[in-house]
Amino acid sequence: MDQQELKKAVGRAALEYVKPGEILGVGTGSTVDCFIDALKESGIDVPACVSSSVRSTQKLQAYGFKVLDLNEVEKIGVYVDGADEIDPHFAMIKGGGGALTREKIVAMVSERFVCIADESKKVDVLGKFPLPIEVIPMAVRAVSREIEKLGGKPVLRDFTTDNGNKILDVHGWQITDAEQWEQKLNQIVGVVTVGLFAKRGADVLLLGTSQGVKTFK
Ligand code: 5RP
């Protein structure tokens, strides 16, 4: 199976976690796109979704799903999203698609985070994938200097987030203590969100492999 087929397989597998009649949290990315396609095909009764990006909102609405603002919702049972890397403790690097801030917010209010990923995303140590950090535009240089002091090599992405901010992709870190690192980077003034999802990691990992979809809990 090629990578796209693995993404489709995990997208379908995630349907098992969708509870009919419940508001669903929907992440962002090419794997989530496969999940949205599968959701549409499944015909499961989803009264409404809360989405983590304009991209996913548009796709959901094009399929006829209702999308609510998070401020209209008290709780979300299940949140389905992808990852750029996931470690054995279910800590993740996210934000390759630039939606990390809204993803972290929706994940925070969700009872269960179901991560869907192909096998290339499972790693022993986070950091080969550059860590995305969303930054207030006027603070790009200032935050970059702080990151350099911590041994990281920030590269400004040619991209503006749905929130009007910039993204620094930080190379050169091997992240073993993800929760501490997330907390430390969050302290830098000008940082909006760090693409490390450790404090609120995944609860379930559905991993697409050539031997089929494997479930880790
Ligand atoms: C977007 C994300 C995505 O979940 C992550 O980039 C994985 O994307 P893909 O499924 O396309 O590999 O965090 O901000």
Side-chain angles (χ1 to χ4, degrees), residues 95-192:
L100 61 161
T101 296
R102 296 186 189 195
E103 291 173 339
K104 207 174 250 198
I105 294 168
V106 182
M108 176 183 69
V109 302
S110 299
E111 283 167 4
R112 202 168 201 201
F113 187 135
V114 178
C115 177
I116 51 175
D118 65 81
E119 58 193 341
S120 69
K121 310 291 184 67
K122 194 163 183 286
V123 298
D124 290 329
V125 177
L126 299 171
K128 192 166 175 208
F129 190 94
L131 178 66
I133 300 184
E134 183 164 347
V135 176
I136 296 288
M138 71 171 286
V140 162
R141 283 303 307 141
V143 171
S144 295
R145 285 193 292 272
E146 295 304 309
I147 287 170
E148 281 160 6
K149 283 184 206 162
L150 295 169
K153 295 176 197 65
V155 176
L156 181 62
R157 199 186 295 184
D158 184 15
F159 178 79
T160 300
T161 70
D162 288 348
N163 314 307
N165 296 317
K166 304 307 289 181
I167 291 199
L168 293 168
D169 291 307
V170 184
H171 298 248
W173 283 331
Q174 294 277 295
I175 303 165
T176 44
D177 47 354
E179 201 171 327
Q180 253 180 294
W181 206 235
E182 180 180 9
Q183 210 177 355
K184 178 151 71 172
L185 295 171
N186 272 330
Q187 304 302 320
I188 301 174
V189 176
V191 166
V192 177

